[in-house]
Amino acid sequence: MRTPIAAVAALFLILGGTAVAEPLKITVTRPDFLSNRVEWMKEQVRCVRNAVFTEARGESDLGQRMVAWVVAQRALDNRREWGRTFCDVAYRIRANPDGTLTSQFTGPVRHGVSVQEGHPDLERAERNTLRVILEDWKPEGELQLARFYQRPEHADPTRSKWFKKLVVVGKIDNHVFYRSR
């Protein structure tokens, strides 16, 4: 599908560039700035997509969107311990008191799950990620407050005590979603 030239010009303006429209011709200035910005935005989407793929690959579209929602909302909450960009949140690693490393979203770090470009599940994860980020998709009710989730069957009872301080806001597929008290 081709993007109408007017839409491309509008995107450049939104991203901080300038555009001058003449009959059948559009001149765009600051292309380096814009191309860097577009690449940065694509990378942010890839980070969320990879978290969704590794954390919720076998889940329904709703389950995948909820995982993307939690990653996005953590970045938008702008809390230093979570990270301030989608990539910061998706790949944040911290050292535990016992010296081990923990990531907020364990798939890419702890389980070594690789992301294979072109994989059908990866494409679905990207579609669901884009719905959350670009189409302003929102879950219903209290699920909008979700900032945490876990798959109970993967939880290590000796190390997973964090969720006991939280309030359950819903369960979708194999994930339980939580909010702070």
Side-chain angles (χ1 to χ4, degrees):
M1 179 171 111
R2 292 187 173 249
T3 305
I5 197 73
V8 172
L11 176 63
F12 282 113
L13 290 171
I14 289 167
L15 295 175
T18 58
V20 178
E22 297 175 10
L24 302 174
K25 181 180 176 186
I26 293 181
T27 306
V28 178
T29 60
R30 299 174 62 188
D32 291 338
F33 165 79
L34 294 174
S35 65
N36 290 342
R37 185 67 173 233
V38 168
E39 286 307 311
W40 181 84
M41 291 187 323
K42 286 180 183 176
E43 183 60 26
Q44 296 301 309
V45 170
R46 274 192 292 273
C47 289
V48 178
R49 174 204 68 181
N50 291 350
V52 170
F53 177 76
T54 57
E55 292 283 326
R57 172 175 50 230
E59 306 295 322
S60 67
D61 287 343
L62 179 60
Q64 287 192 355
R65 283 185 216 129
M66 274 307 300
V67 169
W69 173 263
V70 169
V71 174
Q73 293 309 301
R74 280 183 167 211
L76 295 172
D77 281 353
N78 203 22
R79 289 174 53 179
R80 188 174 38 153
E81 68 268 23
W82 285 344
R84 293 195 167 109
T85 68
F86 296 149
C87 290
D88 286 348
V89 171
Y91 291 108
R92 174 65 54 109
I93 299 172
R94 72 169 204 272
N96 295 318
D98 64 1
T100 60
L101 297 177
T102 301
S103 64
Q104 293 180 97
F105 302 101
T106 59
V109 177
R110 216 180 293 156
H111 302 301
V113 176
S114 65
V115 175
Q116 304 117 2
E117 294 297 327
H119 190 287
D121 290 336
L122 188 62
E123 292 170 12
R124 191 167 70 88
E126 185 165 310
R127 276 194 310 275
N128 285 314
T129 297
L130 289 171
R131 289 234 19 226
V132 171
I133 294 173
L134 298 180
E135 296 178 20
D136 200 28
W137 176 88
K138 291 181 180 159
E140 294 182 7
E142 225 182 346
L143 281 169
Q144 289 185 24
L145 302 174
R147 298 299 184 273
F148 307 88
Y149 66 82
Q150 75 162 346
R151 290 182 66 151
E153 72 273 12
H154 289 170
D156 177 354
T158 62
R159 295 181 67 195
S160 295
K161 296 179 178 150
W162 58 268
F163 64 90
K164 293 178 182 174
K165 300 174 188 171
L166 303 172
V167 176
V168 173
V169 294
K171 182 178 185 315
I172 299 173
D173 302 327
N174 295 311
H175 287 88
V176 178
F177 293 89
Y178 304 87
R179 67 167 172 84
S180 298
R181 289 194 186 270

